[in-house]
Amino acid sequence: MFSGCLRKGIRFSVKISPFTANPDIDPAMSSNTNAPASSHFIRSFIEADLASGKHAAIVTRFPPEPNGYLHVGHAKSICLNFGLAIDFKGKCNLRFDDTNPEKESEEYAQSIQADVRWLGFEWNGEVRWASDYFEQLYQFAVELINKGLAYVDELTPEQMREYRGTLTQPGKNSPFRGRSVAENLDQFARMRAGEFADGAKVLRAKIDMASSNINLRDPVIYRIRRAHHIRTGDKWCIYPMYDYTHCISDALEGITHSLCTLEFEDHRPLYDWVLDNITIPCHPQQIEFSRLELHYTITSKRKLLQLVTEKHVSGWDDPRMPTISGMRRRGYTPEGLREFAKRIGISKSENIVDMAVLEGAIREDMEARVPRVLAVINPLKVTITNFDGAQSREAGFHPNHPEFGSRVIDFSREIWIEADDFAEVPPPGWQRLIPGGEVRLRYSYVMKCEEVVKDATGKVIELKCSIDHNTLGKNPEGRKVKGVIHFLSCEKALPAEIRLYDRLFTVAEPDADKEVDFCTYLNPASLTVVQGWVEPVVKDALPETRYQFERLGYFCSDRYDHQPGGKLVFNRAVTLKDSWSKE
Ligand code: ATP
Ligand code: MG
């Protein structure tokens, strides 16, 4: 039975322990976070159809081809289809368009299901597969043949291209177009029976070779392909084409609104033609919206596959990838991605979005929800000359959420600070540490830099500082200290591998120029791995635990490489401030 499109059994818990594996839990669990859904033209269509009584309830579907991992563009489509079903109390199916056996795999199908669920959605009933309909699709093709609306063609692919004509020139009829119904039925049955070589013949819809819409110039609807299929094995050696399969699959499932991206607009007449010419009681309405494109990355499975196969990235879920699994591993939240989908909206106009919009949504989501701790990622040692022993002070995990709890911050004679928080020659407006200057150590004392220690090359390797013992929890007397920097006790801090990510490409639209391989524009500095230090409190964090490292950004323990109690690995999901829009 339909489960309301959302995963059951998940509840929002306000209390987020810093050890919680995955605070991916959504408060209100409306399709798109808490705010009311924004209106758009597809919504208006649906509202009108429900108001007029055309449909009593809506059924949408998300129809990926299992030929790669899903990317951020698919996330937009998922949020749209599942979101509408939730908002209008309808249903949304998950259907694999598995009509290209050579490119499809079970691994991809599994990853897609995991990604949809991780985003917070659950499909109506079982997963569906276009291949479940192969027999029906075949019978509908027979119906078309019987009606004189389909024929078996034997033109070579080159001839077929030549006969098709161009945008300005009509096509011409194939010499096989006039075959009798009986001959076509016989030929088609023999195609199915495996009597002909791959590519030797095709079944074409008989529509109009002079149509101004090239998609209607007798499109191929079946081809011969001896390829092992992930679900039907070797049962079939003919496979239906996407356009033919998609509309019939939609109709068989009782889809009311078939939402797809704009490149299918010119295919809509074919979608309608097929359904108008077979005996099927349902005729879904195809509605197109614009694809999401993101600056500095790519949203094409084929190109993402190239990045994987050419090993430019570590895999489909490399945190630099715009795949859902990559974004997940990087530390993005499902709530943040749903919020992003809401912010970019749905329209028919070009939808190239700045990365700042995506990161903004992620950042805002995490801001209120993840605990804050201290880490040092570019360490510089400081020796406190007038302090011995150890001391600790309690600090809350989140200034606005006392219920998140607290931990102790340790102070000791030797501490780590960020090397970037010290400048011998400060730029204008600098409020951090300088020789002879003072700063507040977060949750601790006011500290003064007394001496700068350098190595033979002149590099600063240590600072010797003193603290004002009178400044714990209170302002120093007689002077103001503006700057606050964070630190960790060398004695208590734990080493951690920190992975910092930058944009994957050096140009905003890496695949804009068809003449240039987009890999030319890969950013060689997209990943920086540093050895840093973290607070002991994160020691037992499970993989995929998110934190704000104060002043540094939002981080997430790596899904695969981080070991609770062992090797600690944190990925930076997003910086604290927008670092994109200054470009
Ligand atoms: P790609 O071009 O990356 O291979 P695709 O469109 O071939 O993508 P499908 O698996 O066919 O991938 O897509 C499933 C659904 O997701 C389709 O309805 C498609 O329109 C939608 N979709 C794919 N890419 C985007 C995108 N960039 N923005 C919005 N929706 C998208
Ligand atoms: Mg596709």
Side-chain angles (χ1 to χ4, degrees), residues 310-336:
E310 292 179 5
K311 299 203 174 358
H312 298 296
V313 293
S314 67
W316 283 99
D317 62 359
D318 186 301
R320 291 166 294 178
M321 291 280 269
T323 51
I324 296 178
S325 52
M327 295 187 290
R328 170 180 180 175
R329 187 167 174 194
R330 182 163 173 158
Y332 287 12
T333 57
E335 294 83 354

Side-chain angles (χ1 to χ4, degrees), residues 14 76 103 186 195 206 247 274 298 308 340 358 402 479 528 555 561 568:
V14 200
K76 169 179 176 174
K103 294 192 174 152
D186 174 61
E195 289 189 28
K206 194 191 271 189
C247 53
V274 172
I298 45 178
V308 174
F340 168 67
L358 173 58
R479 60 202 197 278
T528 309
F555 289 74
D561 300 335
L568 308 180

Side-chain angles (χ1 to χ4, degrees), residues 62-65 71 73-74 76-77 259-261 289 291-292 299-301:
F62 174 63
E65 185 181 354
H71 54 63
H74 296 111
K76 169 179 176 174
S77 177
L259 314 180
C260 61
T261 36
F289 62 96
R291 291 176 82 82
L292 164 68
T299 45
S300 150
K301 274 189 272 184

Side-chain angles (χ1 to χ4, degrees), residues 47 54 156 161 210 246 405 535:
E47 280 158 6
K54 180 177 176 191
T156 63
R161 218 165 299 133
H246 194 77
E535 275 188 47

